[in-house]
Amino acid sequence: MTRLSGITPSGHAHIGNHLGAIRRWARQGRPGDLYFVSDLHAMTVSYNPARLRKLSRELLAVLVAAGIEPDQVFVQSDLVREVGALTWVLECACSFGEAARMTQFKQKSEGQGMVRLGLLTYPVLMAADILLQGAAEVPVGDDQAQHVELARSLARRFNTTYGEVFTVPEAVTPPTAARVRDLSDPGRKMSKSTQDSAGVVFVLDEPDLIRRKVRRAVTDSLGRVEYRPQEQPGLANLVEILSACVGKPPREVVAGFSSYGELKEAVADAVIEELRPLRERASALLADRAELDRIRKAGAERATERGAHRLSSALRLAGVG
Ligand code: AQP
C-alpha cells in the first residue's frame, strides 16, 4: 500500500520540517512509501525561478541525506507532462464551486496582489499527484485534509463516470509531532517561507549560526525553568525541540537546568548534533552533482513508470489521447 508525502521547496528546510516530518519519514517509512519535492506547488505564489530550481535540488539532497531510501524520492516537475495531463483531466471532472470552497485558497489568496489561478486549482494538481501514483494513504495535517477529500471525490467521480482507474485515497493523520515554533516569535510556527530567518533554524545552517539563533531565542522574564507551554511559550518551544532531539519527554528534559542560558546551550548542542550527519551527507551529495543527478533521474523514471498505465487508461476512458 503506497503512502505519499510531499514537501514544498518554498524555502530552505528547517528543524521543524525535520523533526515534524523528514526524520519520521526516514525512520518510520515503509518500503512502498513515496516522498516527493513538490516544486510545482511552489509556483502558486510569487517566486524566483532560479531559487526554486536550487531549493528543489537542495531539498532532494536533504531527503536522501536524512536517510530516506533514494528509490523512494522524486521531484514533482520531472513528471510535469504526466501530472499536467492528469490535472487537466481532473479539472474537467471538478466543479468551480468545489475548488473555490477550499479553505486554504481563501486563506492564501488574502492580501496577495495577484491571485494566481494555480492557487485555486492547486488542490487538483495535488489530486493528480496522489492519483497518478496510486497512493492509498496520504498523511496530512488538518490544513490539507480538505484537499485529500477533494482527491477522493475526483477519484470516485472519474471511476463511476468513465471507468475504474483510480485508487480512492485515504487521508491519514500522522503521529503528533512537536509543532516547532519560530524562535523569534513563539506565537507562530517555524516556516520555510518566513521573511525574517533569525528565528528559523535551517537544517543546513552551520553550527555557529545555529548556536547564535538559539541563544537569541525569545523567552520571558519569569526566570522559571519549567515546561509550561501556555505561560512560557518561547521556553516551552526550546524544551520541545530538546525533547524531540534527545527522545525524552519535555518535563524530563527540563529538569536539571537552573537558567535559561544553560538550557539554551543544551538546546544548541542537541540541535547541532541532531543535524550534523544530515548536513554532512547533504553537503556531500550537493557537491557530487553526478550522484544527485543519478538519484533524481532514477526517481523520475520510476515515478513516471508507476503512473504510466493509470494516465493512459484515464486519457483513453476520457475519450482523448
Ligand atoms: N514548524 C513545524 N513544526 C513541525 N512540523 C512542521 N512542518 C512544517 N513546519 C513545521 C511539516 O513539514 C512537512 C512539509 O511541509 P510542507 O512543505 O508541506 O509545507 P508547510 O507545512 O507549509 O511547511 P513550512 O515550512 O511552513 O513552509 P511554508 O513556509 O511554505 O508554509 C509537513 O509534514 C509539515 O507538517
Side-chain angles (χ1 to χ4, degrees):
M1 190 193 293
T2 301
R3 208 177 251 195
L4 180 76
S5 302
I7 181 159
T8 306
S10 47
H12 301 287
H14 52 74
I15 184 83
N17 299 130
H18 173 71
L19 297 176
I22 301 171
R23 185 177 77 168
R24 185 163 38 81
W25 296 343
R27 286 184 182 174
Q28 297 165 12
R30 302 167 308 187
D33 295 348
L34 295 171
Y35 304 95
F36 72 107
V37 176
S38 45
D39 54 349
L40 298 175
H41 293 189
M43 297 169 66
T44 54
V45 290
S46 173
Y47 73 99
N48 175 303
R51 183 165 186 265
L52 175 60
R53 190 179 294 286
K54 198 160 169 272
L55 287 172
S56 300
R57 199 172 168 76
E58 183 182 291
L59 203 44
L60 181 69
V62 165
L63 295 182
V64 175
I68 297 174
E69 288 301 323
D71 64 1
Q72 292 181 268
V73 294
F74 66 94
V75 176
Q76 184 189 26
S77 65
D78 290 342
L79 278 71
V80 69
R81 287 165 191 80
E82 292 76 11
V83 167
L86 188 54
T87 299
W88 179 249
V89 170
L90 295 175
E91 277 182 12
C92 293
C94 181
S95 74
F96 173 74
E98 278 176 308
R101 203 176 299 142
M102 295 293 123
T103 314
Q104 218 181 57
F105 169 70
K106 292 182 194 157
Q107 286 166 352
K108 289 199 170 179
S109 54
E110 245 168 55
Q112 294 243 0
M114 179 186 101
V115 178
R116 295 171 189 225
L117 189 55
L119 190 61
L120 177 71
T121 58
Y122 130 84
V124 185
L125 170 64
M126 181 169 156
D129 295 325
I130 298 167
L131 302 187
L132 185 70
Q133 297 303 322
E137 293 184 347
V138 188
V140 282
D142 291 346
D143 56 337
Q144 293 277 340
Q146 202 185 18
H147 295 172
V148 180
E149 202 43 55
L150 180 70
R152 286 170 61 79
S153 302
L154 296 179
R156 279 204 221 95
R157 192 171 303 150
F158 188 97
N159 287 348
T160 40
T161 313
Y162 301 104
E164 201 69 33
V165 178
F166 299 118
T167 302
V168 179
E170 229 22 92
V172 293
T173 314
T176 38
R179 205 78 186 140
V180 177
R181 308 192 152 272
D182 192 292
L183 300 186
S184 311
D185 177 3
R188 62 167 194 244
K189 89 173 179 96
M190 197 177 275
S191 281
K192 290 183 232 96
S193 55
T194 302
Q195 294 301 315
D196 175 11
S197 62
V200 183
V201 173
F202 298 112
V203 297
L204 300 184
D205 275 349
E206 293 289 336
D208 282 356
L209 183 56
I210 295 178
R211 195 171 296 282
R212 281 205 300 279
K213 286 180 177 176
V214 173
R215 279 182 182 158
R216 280 201 308 256
V218 166
T219 49
D220 52 70
S221 53
L222 299 174
R224 293 171 61 172
V225 192
E226 289 172 26
Y227 178 59
R228 302 190 305 159
Q230 296 301 322
E231 296 85 353
Q232 296 175 273
L235 196 70
N237 188 35
L238 292 173
V239 174
E240 283 166 9
I241 293 173
L242 181 58
S243 152
C245 289
V246 301
K248 288 185 186 161
R251 285 186 210 288
E252 198 175 311
V253 295
V254 77
F257 294 108
S258 54
S259 71
Y260 292 179
E262 206 185 315
L263 174 76
K264 284 181 172 179
E265 290 310 309
V267 173
D269 289 342
V271 171
I272 290 167
E273 285 321 306
E274 172 68 30
L275 296 178
R276 188 185 302 281
L278 193 162
R279 187 167 53 87
E280 287 174 359
R281 279 189 234 126
S283 307
L285 259 179
L286 286 164
D288 188 347
R289 230 192 140 72
E291 175 61 2
L292 197 55
D293 283 347
R294 193 195 58 72
I295 292 173
R296 182 167 175 167
K297 187 160 176 277
E301 282 169 4
R302 258 189 307 270
T304 306
E305 205 173 300
R306 201 179 297 111
H309 70 281
R310 280 185 211 98
L311 177 60
S312 59
S313 300
L315 290 171
R316 181 173 44 77
L317 289 168
V320 294

